[in-house]
């Protein structure tokens, strides 16, 4: 039995089509995941009680508020740095597009990447901005 193609169109005719990875036009809810080993120097076990509270404040003001990825990026995405808001780095043996979330000029940061299910996978909890991108 032959399968008929859904369409004969092979490319977009629209000029301003945004790629799926462009978060500026998305309303997908921001979700967190821990799906692999965190960076050794930036694990939960290393957090002091006041740093745990800052992590909880981040979760409360993002996931618990039902913010979208776009809203979180507008509020938390760190845009300064050698490569702007994202850095390509090898993490646990895989090349990842890492994002750096932190609010205002405070030192608390979370580093991670978006997986194929639109979860922000936490790779580092950096309460004192000790990790520096090169």
């Amino acid at each position: 039995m032959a399968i008929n193609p859904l369409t004969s169109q092979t490319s977009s005719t629209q000029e301003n089509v945004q790629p799926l990875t462009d978060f500026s036009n998305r309303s997908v809810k921001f979700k967190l995941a821990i799906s692999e080993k965190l960076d050794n120097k930036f694990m939960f076990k290393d957090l002091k009680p006041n740093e745990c509270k800052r992590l909880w404040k981040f979760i409360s003001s993002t996931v618990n508020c039902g913010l979208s990825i776009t809203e979180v990026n507008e509020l938390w995405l760190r845009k300064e740095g050698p490569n702007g808001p994202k850095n390509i780095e090898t993490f646990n043996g895989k090349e990842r597009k890492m994002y750096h979330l932190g609010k205002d000029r405070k030192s608390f940061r979370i580093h991670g990447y978006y997986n194929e299910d639109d979860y922000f996978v936490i790779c580092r909890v950096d309460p004192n901005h000790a990790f520096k991108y090169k």
Side-chain angles (χ1 to χ4, degrees), residues 1 6 16 20 31 33 40 42 60 66 68 70 77 79 85 96-97 100 102 107 109 116-117 122-123 130:
M1 179 162 110
L6 294 176
N16 295 326
L20 290 176
K31 304 167 282 192
N40 283 334
F42 302 94
S60 293
S68 69
T70 301
L77 184 64
K79 295 175 179 72
R96 302 284 188 194
K97 190 184 297 187
H100 183 192
S107 61
R109 304 283 192 270
E116 59 278 352
D117 295 321
I122 298 173
C123 297

Side-chain angles (χ1 to χ4, degrees), residues 90-104:
T90 301
F91 186 79
N92 289 339
K94 293 182 182 174
E95 193 171 270
R96 302 284 188 194
K97 190 184 297 187
M98 293 291 233
Y99 292 86
H100 183 192
L101 302 179
K103 197 164 189 183
D104 302 323

Side-chain angles (χ1 to χ4, degrees), residues 21-127:
T21 55
D22 181 358
F23 299 126
S24 64
N25 63 352
R26 299 189 60 188
S27 61
V28 175
K29 295 294 181 198
F30 180 78
K31 304 167 282 192
L32 294 172
I34 302 167
S35 60
E36 57 184 295
K37 183 179 183 294
L38 273 64
D39 191 325
N40 283 334
K41 299 174 189 170
F42 302 94
M43 300 178 85
F44 294 109
K45 69 178 181 67
D46 301 318
L47 295 176
K48 297 175 183 158
N50 66 325
E51 296 166 345
C52 287
K53 288 179 184 176
R54 288 168 36 202
L55 174 62
W56 177 246
K57 186 175 179 179
F58 171 78
I59 294 168
S60 293
S61 64
T62 56
V63 177
N64 289 2
C65 287
L67 297 182
S68 69
I69 291 173
T70 301
E71 291 168 321
V72 170
N73 285 345
E74 288 171 0
L75 293 169
W76 289 82
L77 184 64
R78 304 299 299 166
K79 295 175 179 72
E80 290 79 34
N83 301 308
K86 62 188 172 301
N87 289 280
I88 304 299
E89 69 175 91
T90 301
F91 186 79
N92 289 339
K94 293 182 182 174
E95 193 171 270
R96 302 284 188 194
K97 190 184 297 187
M98 293 291 233
Y99 292 86
H100 183 192
L101 302 179
K103 197 164 189 183
D104 302 323
R105 304 277 313 151
K106 296 184 173 102
S107 61
F108 182 81
R109 304 283 192 270
I110 293 182
H111 302 251
Y113 62 90
Y114 288 97
N115 69 11
E116 59 278 352
D117 295 321
D118 292 322
Y119 279 80
F120 185 81
V121 178
I122 298 173
C123 297
R124 292 181 198 96
V125 179
D126 185 4

